[in-house]
Amino acid sequence: MSSAQVVELTLPALPAGWSADKEFKAVGKLSAATQRNLEPVGPHFLAHARRKRHHRTFSEDERIQAQQNVKKTEEEEDDEISEDEDPMMLQRDAKDWKSQDHYAVLGLSKYRWRATPDQIKRAHRKKVLRHHPDKKAALGDRDENDSFFKCIQKATEILSDPVKRRQFDSVDEAADVEPPSKKETQKGNFYKLWRPVFESEARFSKIQPVPQLGDENSTFEEVNEFYNFWYNFDSWRTFEYLDEDVPDDNENRDQKRHVEKKNANARRKRKTEDTARLRRLVDDCAALDERIKKFRKAARADKDKKRLEKEAEAKRIAEEKEKARLEEEQRKKEAEEAAKADREKAKKAKEAAKNAAKKNKRVLKGSVKDVNYFAESGEPSAAQVDSVLTDVDLINSKIDNEELASLAERLTAAGKDAAAVKNVYTEEIKRLVAAGKAKEGEVKFFV
């Protein structure tokens, strides 16, 4: 520690004509002088002490300190933002800043649009410490061109501004991942080859997070969501960075409007081309995606299954209808045959009844003939025969076949007994009269 020094200070003299009594009112008094010890401190004193200790001049000490600061910064910075500098890049013209790779200038090529603001700041600090003209001069490189340092400053200006950085990221082709060819996809891992492509394109999506490509175990819903998202991709990508510079000359407004219109048309064209490019990329990926083929095959199998089930159901229904139709036809046929048999039977019965009725009528007529038409002796007169047969015909007309059969049976039983035969006819007449089938007195002979 340095020893204390005594500093002698002399108070300045009062101006002429000054008086303490003039508009002055003392509110206190000065304290007595106090002796204090002062010690030199601060960076300037430390620099002075360092130079004295190592016997350096100002320029020597500044150069050595610059070297140590660069070395310290490089040691403190991790390797994440350390890249070998391209000799051609160091010779870039600062005026051609639009065509330079700002991320490469700052050593952030592998990060690009993923680089954080903190990484950009640290990369800028590291580059400045290495390429600042004053630092180069301090290191003895007085012929160093400061063009690359201007490139560093411009890159930092672009990447530190969110709007300008977004414009540059929009046209940063170095961040694009080239899609694999069909041959490469067939030989390699489809998901490993295509996943980086969509991760790169996803940086332009307005909607975040972006659905992932997935793997061979992804469900139909996940795959469908992925391709629907990319076929309806909503991109924020713009192309202002490639605009032609608009003149600031207010006198030539027509030229300014012409350039602005030209830039707007160029943006729209690039936007359309980029949309078409992305659509082709998604088409190529979908054409090589085995999951889609698997899902389509399963869908076709399910469709075929449903079709076969539908056809089988239609066939079953048709067979049931045909069976019902055949059964109905068989039933109608059987009914018709039964009806025909019934008609035949009825016809036969009718004919049998008719024949029986004829036979019974003959029995009735024969019964009176056998008793000689009830003549007591000799041949009956024509009038008597006619009277008997008239009554027999009248009785035949009043009775049905069953009654006729019953009557014929009784007459057969009566035989050739005239009294018995007449008695049968008389009882039959009485029955008919009682039943209301015949009128009293209608029969003349059998009374």
Side-chain angles (χ1 to χ4, degrees):
M1 182 180 292
S2 300
S3 59
Q5 296 183 359
V6 178
V7 180
E8 299 291 341
L9 295 177
T10 302
L11 296 175
L14 295 173
W18 185 85
S19 174
D21 297 333
K22 185 179 179 181
E23 297 179 359
F24 176 77
K25 181 179 180 181
V27 294
K29 60 181 180 178
L30 296 175
S31 61
T34 303
Q35 186 174 348
R36 298 181 181 279
N37 294 330
L38 300 179
E39 297 182 1
V41 295
H44 297 289
F45 174 74
L46 294 177
H48 168 74
R50 185 174 61 250
R51 289 193 298 270
K52 289 294 184 183
R53 179 181 177 182
H54 297 289
H55 304 287
R56 300 173 184 168
T57 63
F58 277 93
S59 60
E60 289 176 339
D61 184 68
E62 184 178 358
R63 178 176 55 80
I64 293 173
Q65 285 299 111
Q67 292 175 345
Q68 292 179 350
N69 287 337
V70 171
K71 183 177 180 180
K72 181 180 178 182
T73 301
E74 291 179 348
E75 291 176 351
E76 289 178 351
E77 297 290 351
D78 52 25
D79 293 335
E80 294 180 355
I81 55 175
S82 297
E83 295 180 2
D84 295 334
E85 294 175 338
D86 185 359
M88 295 296 296
M89 182 174 63
L90 296 176
Q91 303 300 321
R92 287 194 60 85
D93 185 358
K95 295 180 180 179
D96 190 22
W97 60 270
K98 268 203 171 185
S99 62
Q100 79 175 18
D101 186 344
H102 301 307
Y103 289 109
V105 169
L106 294 182
L108 297 171
S109 296
K110 64 180 181 181
Y111 286 95
R112 313 203 74 83
W113 56 275
R114 298 185 184 88
T116 64
D118 180 65
Q119 287 176 323
I120 294 174
K121 290 180 181 179
R122 290 191 288 122
H124 173 250
R125 182 170 66 250
K126 184 175 181 178
K127 292 291 184 179
V128 167
L129 288 174
R130 180 179 297 175
H131 295 283
H132 195 286
D134 294 342
K135 298 296 181 181
K136 290 289 185 179
L139 293 174
D141 189 2
R142 298 185 179 277
D143 295 332
E144 172 69 18
N145 190 344
D146 65 348
S147 180
F148 184 65
F149 178 74
K150 293 179 181 178
C151 292
I152 295 172
Q153 296 300 91
K154 191 64 179 180
T156 305
E157 175 192 344
I158 296 295
L159 300 182
S160 298
D161 187 320
V163 176
K164 293 180 179 179
R165 181 182 180 184
R166 194 177 182 90
Q167 293 175 356
F168 175 71
D169 287 341
S170 178
V171 298
D172 184 13
E173 296 181 355
D176 295 339
V177 177
E178 190 70 18
S181 64
K182 182 178 180 180
K183 188 175 181 180
E184 291 174 337
T185 304
Q186 291 173 344
K187 289 183 177 180
N189 187 314
F190 171 83
Y191 309 101
K192 185 177 180 180
L193 292 172
W194 279 95
R195 187 174 290 111
V197 177
F198 286 101
E199 288 177 352
S200 173
E201 296 291 339
R203 70 187 191 271
F204 300 122
S205 176
K206 291 182 180 180
I207 302 174
Q208 296 290 343
V210 175
Q212 298 299 310
L213 178 62
D215 52 30
E216 64 276 4
N217 298 319
S218 298
T219 63
F220 171 79
E221 289 73 17
E222 292 171 340
V223 176
N224 191 51
E225 179 188 7
F226 174 80
Y227 283 104
N228 283 341
F229 177 87
W230 284 101
Y231 276 121
N232 299 280
F233 190 73
D234 190 6
S235 174
W236 57 259
R237 191 173 190 182
T238 57
F239 299 90
E240 295 97 330
Y241 192 84
L242 301 177
D243 284 354
E244 181 181 338
D245 292 337
V246 179
D248 293 333
D249 187 5
N250 293 330
E251 296 180 359
N252 195 349
R253 294 183 180 180
D254 292 340
Q255 177 65 14
K256 182 177 181 180
R257 284 194 292 268
H258 173 72
V259 173
E260 289 176 346
K261 184 178 180 180
K262 182 179 178 181
N263 287 337
N265 292 335
R267 290 180 202 168
R268 284 194 294 270
K269 182 179 178 181
R270 293 188 182 101
K271 186 74 172 180
T272 302
E273 292 174 349
D274 184 66
T275 301
R277 175 197 64 84
L278 182 61
R279 176 59 65 91
R280 289 193 300 270
L281 185 146
V282 179
D283 287 340
D284 293 342
C285 178
L288 298 171
D289 195 337
E290 293 295 333
R291 298 172 302 179
I292 294 181
K293 298 178 182 178
K294 179 181 71 174
F295 294 143
R296 286 177 178 173
K297 184 177 180 181
R300 285 196 298 269
D302 184 63
K303 185 177 180 180
D304 291 342
K305 180 182 178 182
K306 291 181 178 179
R307 178 178 58 80
L308 293 175
E309 290 177 351
K310 186 177 180 180
E311 290 177 354
E313 180 66 14
K315 183 178 179 181
R316 184 188 65 80
I317 294 173
E319 289 177 349
E320 289 181 353
K321 288 183 178 180
E322 181 65 15
K323 182 180 178 181
R325 185 184 67 80
L326 294 175
E327 290 178 351
E328 180 66 16
E329 289 181 354
Q330 183 64 22
R331 185 186 64 77
K332 289 181 178 180
K333 184 177 179 181
E334 292 176 354
E336 289 176 358
E337 290 178 352
K340 183 178 180 181
D342 291 341
R343 288 194 300 271
E344 292 292 333
K345 184 178 179 181
K347 182 178 180 181
K348 291 180 179 180
K350 185 176 181 180
E351 288 179 355
K354 184 177 181 181
N355 293 332
K358 289 180 178 180
K359 181 179 178 182
N360 291 329
K361 288 180 179 180
R362 287 195 298 269
V363 171
L364 265 63
K365 289 183 178 181
S367 65
V368 295
K369 182 179 180 181
D370 291 339
V371 295
N372 198 23
Y373 300 102
F374 302 102
E376 293 181 357
S377 62
E379 290 295 326
S381 63
Q384 185 174 351
V385 172
D386 184 62
S387 177
V388 172
L389 291 177
T390 299
D391 285 350
V392 171
D393 291 336
L394 180 61
I395 293 172
N396 278 330
S397 66
K398 299 294 185 181
I399 60 177
D400 55 26
N401 292 335
E402 292 181 0
E403 294 172 334
L404 178 60
S406 176
L407 178 59
E409 183 179 357
R410 285 179 287 154
L411 289 172
T412 302
K416 295 182 180 182
D417 186 352
V421 172
K422 187 175 182 179
N423 185 53
V424 171
Y425 278 114
T426 302
E427 291 179 355
E428 184 66 20
I429 291 298
K430 290 179 179 179
R431 187 186 69 80
L432 291 175
V433 173
K437 292 183 178 183
K439 297 179 180 180
E440 191 73 31
E442 189 174 1
V443 178
K444 304 296 184 181
F445 183 78
F446 299 106
V447 295

